Each structure stands twice: as structure tokens, then as C-alpha cells.
């Protein structure tokens, strides 16, 4: 039976590329989506037509009850995932002085709370199996900070701390926990940004592609990364070293 990889926020952008890559690597992929059901279904059809295996799974990562309601029956029938990629994320940018309660808590709850809700539900089976890979998608903003993104940076730095602590807690069960921290990547999330201007601040002179992030996740999920845990892999064109 194929190993299973759960990818949150896999309907679009980076998550979609990660799901496609892990399917190519031979995993059966649970393709989580929030609002973009059609996109998630079309990705699953693409994966299946290419000979892979995938199923769309809708839930809001920020809603603990919805996460449980969607994942527990799947885990009961197919087993806990071997790989969990916490990728779903949002931005609600603005200067801190103008950041309201909803912008603060919404971003923290989706980006960091989502990691908690999803990992918690999957972890019991992974612990019992004594193997697994957890990868969280953080951001260069969580490492270096970025004006206008105090809420987002807090959520992404929080993921780094959470992953390092969890890595220490569960290393004895042979489960690794790592972080991929992208710089600018060409997706809907950055489509409003002045790309040419911002690319000048990237030593490699360009935005990254979703496939470049997916390649890093594929490596960390694979057998060859078995001795790597608690690490943050920057995939950022040199923006932060
Ligand atoms: P994107 O194109 O905006 O896609 C976001 C994905 O997250 C979508 O699939 C969306 O699904 C999903 N999502 C959002 N809220 C959700 C929720 N509450 N529950 C379930 N799914 C949810 O963004 P992206 O650029 O691919 O970003 C992916 C991750 O990389 C994020 O964590 C982001 O912070 C991080 N990142 C991105 C960049 C960049 O430059 N693009 C840089 C650094 C880090 P639906 O449409 O189905 O709701």
C-alpha cells in the first residue's frame, strides 16, 4: 500500500505544487482545500490521470472541530498519514498600529493554529507507528521580520519555535519535524506586489517557483532526510542567510 501524505492548502500555489510532487514521489495524497473545491478536485483528477492517487479533503485548518470531523474518519479507514505538510496560510497585511483584532487572530489562527489542529489529529497514529515526517511552511518574514506583516511574521516565527520543540519531543519515535521557509514565490499570495522592484532585493534576482519549494519538501519527506530534524531550510534566493 502507498504511503500517505496530507498537504494542507493544496488547492492552489505552493501547496498544490507540493501535493503534485509528493504524488509523483509515490504517495497517496490527501489534498486539503479551504474554499477552492474545484481546484482541489482538478488537481486530484490530474494526479489520478498520471497514475497517482489522491483524494480532496475540505476543511478550514483554523477550525479544530472541522479538522477533526474531516480527518478522523479518513485516519480510521486509511491510517494516519506518513507525511504531514502544514502549508495553508493567509496574509492580512497592514501596519501594526492599524492591525485589528480580526487581522491579528485570523492570521495566527490559520497559520499557527492550523498547524496545531492538523498535527494534533494526525500525530497519535504516527507516534504509534514510530515513523513519520512533519514539514511546516514558514516564511522569510518569520525569520527576518517585515514591516506590515507583524501578525504574519509572528505566526511564521511561531511555527519555527513549535517545530523545533516538537522535533525534540518526538525524535525518540523516529518522527522528524522540519520547516521550509520560502522567500518570494510566484503565487496568488504575492500577485499584487511590485515583482520587478522586489526581485532586486533577492541576491538570485528573481522570485522562486512553487516547484522549487516542493522540491525541498520532497527531500525533507524522503528517506534520505532521516537524520535531519528541527531544521529550517530557507528557499529564498539568498534573501536571508
Ligand atoms: P496562496 O496561493 O494564497 O494559496 C494559499 C493556499 O492556502 C490555498 O490553497 C488556500 O486554499 C489555502 N488556505 C488558506 N486558508 C486556509 C484555511 N483556513 N484552510 C484550508 N486551506 C486554506 O498562497 P501560497 O503562496 O501558495 O502560500 C502557501 C504557504 O506558503 C503559506 O503558508 C504562505 O504563508 C507560505 N509562503 C508563501 C510565500 C510566497 O511568496 N508566495 C512566501 C513565504 C511563505 P483555498 O483557496 O482552498 O481556501
Amino acid at each position: 500500500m502507498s504511503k500517505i501524505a496530507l498537504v494542507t492548502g493544496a488547492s492552489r500555489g505552493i501547496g498544490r505544487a507540493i501535493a503534485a510532487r509528493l504524488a509523483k514521489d509515490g504517495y497517496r495524497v490527501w489534498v486539503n482545500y479551504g474554499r477552492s473545491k474545484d481546484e482541489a478536485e482538478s488537481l486530484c483528477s490530474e494526479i489520478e490521470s498520471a497514475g497517482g492517487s489522491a483524494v480532496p479533503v475540505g476543511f478550514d485548518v483554523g477550525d479544530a472541530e472541522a479538522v477533526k470531523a474531516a480527518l478522523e474518519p479518513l485516519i480510521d479507514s486509511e491510517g494516519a498519514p506518513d507525511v504531514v505538510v502544514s502549508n495553508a496560510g493567509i496574509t492580512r497585511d497592514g501596519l501594526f498600529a492599524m492591525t485589528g483584532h480580526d487581522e491579528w487572530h485570523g492570521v495566527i489562527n490559520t497559520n499557527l493554529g492550523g498547524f496545531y489542529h492538523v498535527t494534533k489529529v494526525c500525530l497519535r497514529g504516527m507516534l504509534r507507528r514510530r515513523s513519520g515526517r512533519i514539514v511546516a511552511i514558514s516564511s522569510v518574514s518569520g525569520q527576518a521580520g517585515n514591516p506590515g506583516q507583524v501578525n504574519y511574521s509572528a505566526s511564521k516565527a511561531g511555527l519555527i519555535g513549535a517545530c523545533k520543540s516538537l522535533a525534540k519531543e518526538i525524535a525518540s519515535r523516529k518522527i522528524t519535524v522540519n520547516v521550509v521557509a520560502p522567500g518570494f514565490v510566484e503565487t496568488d499570495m504575492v500577485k499584487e506586489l511590485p515583482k520587478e522592484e522586489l526581485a532586486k532585493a533577492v541576491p538570485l534576482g528573481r522570485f522562486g517557483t512553487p516547484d522549487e519549494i516542493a522540491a525541498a519538501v520532497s527531500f525533507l519527506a524522503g528517506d534520505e532526510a532521516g537524520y535531519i530534524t528541527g531544521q529550517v531550510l530557507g528557499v529564498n534566493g539568498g534573501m536571508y542567510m
Side-chain angles (χ1 to χ4, degrees):
M1 231 171 59
S2 301
K3 286 187 171 184
I4 294 168
L6 164 63
V7 183
T8 68
S11 48
R12 297 183 289 113
I14 291 171
R16 187 180 182 96
I18 294 170
R21 174 61 194 258
L22 293 179
K24 220 179 251 176
D25 290 346
Y27 294 91
R28 167 167 169 77
V29 185
W30 295 353
V31 173
N32 163 249
Y33 63 91
R35 297 179 183 171
S36 307
K37 185 168 189 248
D38 291 351
E39 284 86 343
E41 287 177 348
S42 80
L43 173 62
C44 291
S45 304
E46 280 168 32
I47 289 172
E48 298 257 339
S49 331
S53 169
V55 62
V57 189
F59 56 82
D60 172 353
V61 295
D63 180 341
E65 290 310 313
V67 171
K68 271 199 215 170
L71 286 180
E72 282 181 350
L74 258 183
I75 291 172
D76 286 345
S77 65
E78 299 192 20
D82 300 274
V83 175
V84 176
V85 183
S86 269
N87 161 81
I90 56 169
T91 52
R92 294 288 178 273
D93 295 351
L95 293 177
F96 182 67
M98 310 297 283
T99 299
H101 184 276
D102 288 354
E103 286 80 34
W104 178 265
H105 288 285
V107 168
I108 300 286
N109 188 52
T110 299
N111 298 3
L112 186 54
F115 169 83
Y116 165 64
H117 301 140
V118 170
T119 308
K120 190 92 191 300
V121 173
C122 297
L123 193 59
R124 198 181 320 153
M126 298 171 86
L127 289 170
R128 221 179 287 129
R129 193 192 295 134
R130 291 177 176 269
S131 70
R133 295 278 196 270
I134 294 170
V135 182
I137 307 302
S138 176
S139 166
V140 70
S141 293
Q143 298 175 292
N146 194 25
Q149 290 199 312
V150 175
N151 52 355
Y152 181 76
S153 301
S155 72
K156 293 298 186 180
L159 278 177
I160 293 173
C163 286
K164 288 184 177 187
S165 293
L166 185 61
K168 288 185 176 177
E169 275 188 24
I170 62 179
S172 62
R173 301 295 184 101
K174 300 191 171 42
I175 301 169
T176 67
V177 189
N178 291 292
V179 176
V180 171
F184 293 118
V185 181
E186 291 194 39
T187 68
D188 293 344
M189 186 174 271
V190 298
K191 68 178 181 226
E192 307 293 334
L193 299 181
K195 193 170 141 193
E196 288 185 3
E197 198 53 38
L198 291 170
K200 290 182 192 150
V202 181
L204 283 173
R206 63 173 177 88
F207 280 22
T209 66
D211 285 345
E212 288 172 321
I213 310 304
V217 174
S218 165
F219 167 65
L220 289 171
D223 290 342
E224 286 180 328
Y227 199 54
I228 300 175
T229 197
Q231 301 304 307
V232 183
L233 177 53
V235 185
N236 58 29
M239 260 182 97
Y240 178 81
M241 299 183 181

